[in-house]
Amino acid sequence: MSSVTAHDTAGTKSRAKGRPTAQTPASAHPRLSRRRREWLAAGLFLAPDAIGLLVFVAVPMVLSVVLSLFQVSGFGSYQWVGLGNYDRMFHDPLFWASMRITGIYVVVLVPVLFCLSLALGLLVKQKLPGVGAYRTALFMPYVISLVVVGVLWKFMLDDQVGIVNKAMRAAGFGGASWLGSPGLALGSVIAVMTWVMMGYYMIIFLAGLQEIPQEYYEAARIDGASAWRSFRSITWPLLRPTSFFVLLMSTVAAITGGLDLLFVLTKGGPANGTSLAIYYIYQQAFTFGEYGYASAMGTFLVLIMVVFAGVIFKVTKGGRFDDGE
């Protein structure tokens, strides 16, 4: 009896050894490692943005460079001219005049926008009554269409019925032709663009300011540091990454943006006094049908923008906290 039981037990063990275990299928299909799962998740999250940049930015830029090598007529015919459009660009006085105006525009707009946005960020960081309403009011112009902004300010700056001239005359000052004089027109465009953009960069600065630990200011206050000393020794150094971002983005926006606002306010006038490079490129492409020539100027403008970005990155050391050593 015991021998039979022992024989059955031995047979059961032998069959158990030959039977595949439940872990065999799992071992045949190993799970992805944690690092690979993280890379896969990151790729899935980045894919929509990457595809959008590829389709709507990278491919059009490449096609623009290719188009700049052709002479395109208004009837859609293409004629290879090589670097002929670039040679024409370098000998075009109107293009270089627009580049000079763009330089003035950028040199004035970017510092004014930077300083004013930083000042507003410091102001709305304070615990003031109704500070949320102030932040909303300052940010509101940024979310309004630039076409609407242009129509509004064109009416306000009108020589006869504009509220600005009416207020000046009521205060005893003479009115001015804000959009009719070349010098005043460019200044008016800069002022309106500053009014539109300052709220956005104010929010960026506010976010950077709120990341600075309050313990630093409390320690400085205990040591008897003044408000200016605290700003110079604590706020400004720790705000370098935010300042770098604002400086870079405002420069790019000044060089390439504001076309719709400029079109509504002045249409590049008077006497081409506000004809920025971006407006001159638009004019050549969609008014005169010079798509190849406009593409050449656009390519050159992008190169200028890349150079400016590189200079900003070099001067500010990319907004790093250290000294770049």
Side-chain angles (χ1 to χ4, degrees):
M1 182 72 177
S2 60
S3 62
V4 173
T5 304
H7 178 74
D8 293 341
T9 302
T12 303
K13 290 182 178 180
S14 64
R15 288 194 298 271
K17 290 181 180 180
R19 185 182 303 164
T21 62
Q23 297 179 353
T24 302
S27 60
H29 303 284
R31 296 179 61 187
L32 293 175
S33 65
R34 180 178 179 181
R35 184 177 181 83
R36 290 187 177 182
R37 291 199 305 272
E38 291 177 351
W39 277 102
L40 179 60
L44 292 175
F45 277 113
L46 292 175
D49 196 26
I51 294 173
L53 288 174
L54 178 65
V55 174
F56 297 108
V57 177
V59 172
M61 287 180 66
V62 173
L63 293 178
S64 178
V65 173
V66 174
L67 187 62
S68 68
L69 305 176
F70 290 86
Q71 178 69 40
V72 184
S73 69
F75 299 99
S77 61
Y78 295 81
Q79 180 182 356
W80 172 266
V81 293
L83 299 178
N85 285 323
Y86 293 94
D87 181 69
R88 176 185 172 183
M89 177 188 69
F90 284 114
H91 293 87
D92 186 353
L94 291 178
F95 172 72
W96 291 109
S98 70
M99 289 295 294
R100 179 183 62 83
I101 295 171
T102 302
I104 297 173
Y105 178 78
V106 172
V107 168
V108 175
L109 175 63
V110 172
V112 170
L113 188 59
F114 183 93
C115 295
L116 187 57
S117 301
L118 177 58
L120 290 174
L122 291 169
L123 179 63
V124 300
K125 182 178 179 291
Q126 309 301 318
K127 296 180 180 180
L128 302 173
V131 68
Y134 298 147
R135 294 175 183 176
T136 303
L138 290 169
F139 182 74
M140 190 62 67
Y142 181 75
V143 302
I144 302 175
S145 168
L146 285 180
V147 175
V148 176
V149 171
V151 172
L152 173 65
W153 278 97
K154 188 172 184 178
F155 174 75
M156 294 175 62
L157 296 173
D158 187 83
D159 298 352
Q160 302 300 323
V161 299
I163 190 174
V164 176
N165 276 349
K166 284 186 176 181
M168 291 181 64
R169 293 190 186 101
F173 301 98
S177 181
W178 299 104
L179 299 178
S181 171
L184 290 178
L186 184 60
S188 299
V189 171
I190 292 173
V192 174
M193 184 57 72
T194 302
W195 179 78
V196 171
M197 300 296 295
M198 65 181 183
Y200 170 73
Y201 294 115
M202 175 199 72
I203 296 297
I204 301 298
F205 273 123
L206 179 61
L209 290 168
Q210 290 177 338
E211 290 296 320
I212 301 176
Q214 292 300 312
E215 290 81 1
Y216 295 166
Y217 296 105
E218 295 173 1
R221 209 162 27 243
I222 293 174
D223 291 339
S226 63
W228 168 247
R229 180 66 178 177
S230 297
F231 174 81
R232 191 177 64 178
S233 301
I234 300 174
T235 305
W236 183 247
L238 296 181
L239 209 59
R240 285 180 185 175
T242 306
S243 301
F244 166 73
F245 175 82
V246 170
L247 188 62
L248 180 62
M249 296 305 296
S250 60
T251 302
V252 172
I255 295 175
T256 62
L259 174 62
D260 33 8
L261 177 66
L262 192 64
F263 185 86
V264 174
L265 278 179
T266 63
K267 291 185 173 61
N272 293 327
T274 59
S275 181
L276 303 179
I278 190 68
Y279 182 80
Y280 186 69
I281 293 171
Y282 162 82
Q283 196 176 38
Q284 292 296 314
F286 298 103
T287 302
F288 305 119
E290 296 281 355
Y291 298 108
Y293 184 44
S295 297
M297 291 188 291
T299 301
F300 180 76
L301 190 64
V302 169
L303 291 176
I304 294 295
M305 187 174 61
V306 170
V307 170
F308 265 95
V311 170
I312 293 173
F313 193 92
K314 182 68 175 179
V315 171
T316 63
K317 300 180 178 64
R320 293 192 295 271
F321 288 102
D322 57 14
D323 294 327
E325 298 178 356

